[in-house]
Amino acid sequence: MNPILNTAFKAARKAGQMMIRAGGNLDAVKVDSKAFNDFVSNVDRESEMILVDALKEAYPHHKITCEESGSHGKANAEYEWIIDPLDGTTNFLHGHPQYAISMALLHKGVLQEALVYAPERNDLYMASRGKGALLNDRRIRVSGRIELNRCLIGTGFPVVDQSMMDKYLEILKDFLSKTAGGRREGAAALDLCAVAAGRLDGFFEFNLKPWDIAAGALIVKEAGGIVTDMQGNEGWLESGNVVAGNPKVLAQMLQIIAAHQ
């Protein structure tokens, strides 16, 4: 583990331990609604504070962009962290263990380092640009499946911004008729990591935020996969519309999506 990821993991582990303690008494967790179906808790905020404080101390010249508190540091900094302190808040609030801490580091706008930590499972996904992807110190690769009818595809429902719901349901119906099945588990960072580890053959979702996908996307790429927007281009971090998978599967996924554009 390189020094940057080691610093990130120490902070993520501390935040994860706090989450597990809080999860033991969910009735005491304070919850606010940012928008319809978009929740934030005091656990999200405390996790973010732990992560931001650790990164500020270690890297005072880095910019930090977070889901809850926005940006910290110089706007034009060469290095920028993109953090989701609790991806899968709704899962966490219901005692469902599919949630994680997501941390990505960009240098001049290019993803360099990524960490996704799932506290309840003690699963640590990491990647460094050009050096491959790891799950708990073991190298991972995307699946080798090429027949779409044998593939398991992950997705996320557009429950916050439902403006694309009709189009999404048409696309989902098409996927379900042409694949081995679909899964919706409620934490995009972990869905992308599942693609990287070969547990899912592909993943697609609309209207995500940079902190939902930055770390997971680098982990997919370093595991041999491809990440694009819905048109097969590079604008996924800006648009929030993302498709990921191994090269053969991703090409077939894009064809299905294109039929509904």
Side-chain angles (χ1 to χ4, degrees):
M1 191 183 301
N2 68 41
I4 291 176
L5 286 178
N6 188 48
T7 297
F9 175 54
K10 286 181 179 178
R13 182 171 55 189
K14 181 178 179 181
Q17 290 169 345
M18 177 274 298
M19 289 178 189
I20 290 174
R21 291 194 299 271
N25 186 17
L26 288 172
D27 290 339
V29 175
K30 297 178 181 179
V31 183
D32 296 316
S33 180
K34 295 186 287 185
F36 179 71
N37 282 338
D38 190 7
F39 303 102
V40 61
S41 72
N42 61 309
V43 175
D44 296 70
R45 295 187 177 103
E46 185 173 348
S47 173
E48 189 167 286
M49 182 177 66
I50 291 169
L51 302 176
V52 169
D53 286 350
L55 294 177
K56 280 184 175 179
E57 181 178 355
Y59 305 107
H61 301 299
H62 289 192
K63 179 182 177 182
I64 306 171
T65 300
C66 307
E67 178 176 9
E68 306 306 337
S69 61
S71 293
H72 305 256
K74 294 182 179 179
N76 61 349
E78 287 191 8
Y79 288 91
E80 179 183 6
W81 291 90
I82 299 180
I83 295 174
D84 191 336
L86 176 47
D87 184 40
T89 297
T90 301
N91 285 345
F92 173 80
L93 293 174
H94 287 78
H96 182 53
Q98 187 77 357
Y99 63 88
I101 296 160
S102 177
M103 307 175 71
L105 178 64
L106 290 77
H107 180 237
K108 296 182 178 179
V110 178
L111 284 164
Q112 298 292 335
E113 308 286 348
L115 177 152
V116 175
Y117 179 54
E120 294 222 21
R121 294 171 176 157
N122 200 30
D123 278 343
L124 175 63
Y125 298 86
M126 294 187 301
S128 297
R129 186 175 178 83
K131 296 183 179 179
L134 302 173
L135 166 57
N136 299 332
D137 293 328
R138 294 186 178 183
R139 191 169 295 276
I140 52 176
R141 295 286 296 177
V142 295
S143 79
R145 295 183 185 88
I146 59 175
E147 300 91 357
L148 196 62
N149 62 358
R150 295 180 178 270
C151 289
L152 189 63
I153 303 298
T155 188
F157 302 151
V159 294
V160 178
D161 179 356
Q162 299 191 8
S163 61
M164 299 185 70
M165 181 66 80
D166 290 342
K167 178 184 286 190
Y168 169 81
L169 291 174
E170 292 174 3
I171 295 171
L172 179 61
K173 182 178 179 181
D174 210 350
F175 270 112
L176 293 177
S177 71
K178 295 175 180 176
T179 65
R183 296 290 183 270
R184 194 277 185 181
E185 299 191 344
L190 289 175
D191 290 334
L192 288 164
C193 288
V195 173
R199 296 170 179 170
L200 292 173
D201 301 292
F203 170 77
F204 76 98
E205 188 168 352
F206 291 96
N207 295 329
L208 291 166
K209 301 297 184 182
W211 44 79
D212 296 319
I213 51 180
L218 181 60
I219 293 169
V220 169
K221 290 182 175 184
E222 290 299 322
I226 299 177
V227 180
T228 74
D229 63 15
M230 298 295 170
Q231 288 73 44
N233 300 319
E234 290 291 324
W236 49 270
L237 194 60
E238 293 75 28
S239 71
N241 301 330
V242 62
V243 188
N246 75 47
K248 295 288 187 181
V249 169
L250 183 127
Q252 297 172 77
M253 292 177 68
L254 289 172
Q255 288 180 346
I256 291 175
I257 293 168
H260 299 274
Q261 297 297 318

